[in-house]
Amino acid sequence: MQVRDSLEPYFFLSYARRRGPRVLIKRFYGDLCAELRDLRARTSEPFGRPYLDVLSLQVGQDWNAGLSDAVGHCRTMVALYTPDYFLSDFCGREWKAFEDRQRTLREVTGADARALIPVLWEPVPAVPFGADHLQYENSDFGEDYARSGLRRLLVMDPGGEYRRIVKLLAQQVLIAAEHFRIPIANGLDLKAPEAAGPFPSASDLAAPGSHAVLLVAARTTATAHPHSADPRCPCHGDSPADWNPFHAEHEEPLAAHARHLLEQSGLTVRTETVSDLLGQHLERARAQGQVAILLVEAWAAADEAYRNALRAYDRENHPGSVAIVPCGADGTGESSQSKAYWETVRGAFPLNWASGAGEPLPLVQLGVLSDDFDSLLHAAVAKAGNHLFSFLGEEAVHRTTPPRPCPS
């Protein structure tokens, strides 16, 4: 039994390995280990040390062999769901290898061990096909967890809601580890072609800055002129993507014009409409190495359909993104239309209004005229691309309480 347990990590922590500090990952690992140690204090069975690559791999060790052995022998797997997780080829391989072991147990015994335990570390736009059959939402963890993920709870409330959820997770791990023994997969090689999982391979992902997404926040003919006797308007159309603030100079909508400019520069471009999922779309674009450009109609920024999403964007610093708010001829000078324009955009982007005045190319570009749009778009994309290259992943966060030691 001692030999068997020494080869069976109590859990394997599967996560996307970003560049930069992993202090929060290590903190969660330590807290979960400590909770498990407390739960098992009254048992005498040896405790297989949980596996975290940055702590478990030894200097000089073959990293693929070490990871493969751990995934093939661990009792449970805790998967930290993030947008990056589902874009990681290697995370997909870890996920598939353990899911195959669970499937073997079900086929042989009919038992569902539920030993692959998903944790919503950060909000995810969607779980890819092939992994979406695994339930990851948990009402016992509360609305804050479902909305923001466990990582933010660790930062904002490490001694409260975060701690309660870690205790519940420890109970899940304990039940799966003690009541079921997943068949061991000896000789597992995560780098083998047949080990590929349901997530995209590295060759499928774009190089940072080579793809762009245009996100449009604009009114339609119906929402801009709901009571007009003549619903036709040169600025608006049937969809937000039809918006054309520079109709006197360009016949095509602004999003189409921007897309053509970027495609001429060699970028692959897609167009979407801003929604209440804007933050998740921006996180996904960043994880995929895509530059994000918001094209915002000033008057639409005050509409309920866009207001909350744009205000949230104003509060967050999304690497690899820039917002452009065009200004028609009626928005210049000292006219009442001009004053209304500036009051509206100031209300939509109050923080960037205040902080961007001294920057040569701030996160939000206001008052953009037709003659300046083309050159500004290229400059904005270049800046956003540079942000993608320099982004270091997780920010270092000052810990309010020290992590508890892991069990040995």
Side-chain angles (χ1 to χ4, degrees), residues 194-327:
E194 62 271 16
F199 312 157
S201 65
S203 60
D204 294 330
L205 302 180
S210 64
H211 285 50
V213 55
L214 295 170
L215 294 147
V216 184
R219 299 173 297 176
T220 64
T221 299
T223 56
H225 309 281
H227 306 297
S228 174
D230 182 3
R232 292 172 298 174
C233 174
C235 292
H236 303 101
D238 294 333
S239 77
D242 295 328
W243 172 52
N244 186 7
F246 305 137
H247 57 88
E249 294 86 2
H250 303 288
E251 293 184 359
E252 61 183 354
L254 186 64
H257 178 68
R259 185 180 70 247
H260 294 156
L261 288 175
L262 297 181
E263 288 175 343
Q264 290 172 6
S265 300
L267 278 74
T268 300
V269 185
R270 77 176 193 276
T271 303
E272 298 180 1
T273 300
V274 168
S275 71
D276 56 358
L277 298 177
L278 174 62
Q280 295 182 26
H281 289 165
L282 290 171
E283 287 295 315
R284 185 172 183 83
R286 177 196 59 74
Q288 293 178 319
Q290 298 175 348
V291 171
I293 305 297
L294 279 69
L295 302 176
V296 181
E297 180 188 9
W299 312 117
D303 292 349
E304 183 177 357
Y306 302 118
R307 182 173 58 246
N308 292 337
L310 294 176
R311 289 295 294 268
Y313 175 79
D314 182 59
R315 293 191 300 269
E316 300 287 340
N317 179 21
H318 286 279
S321 73
V322 175
I324 299 176
V325 188
C327 179

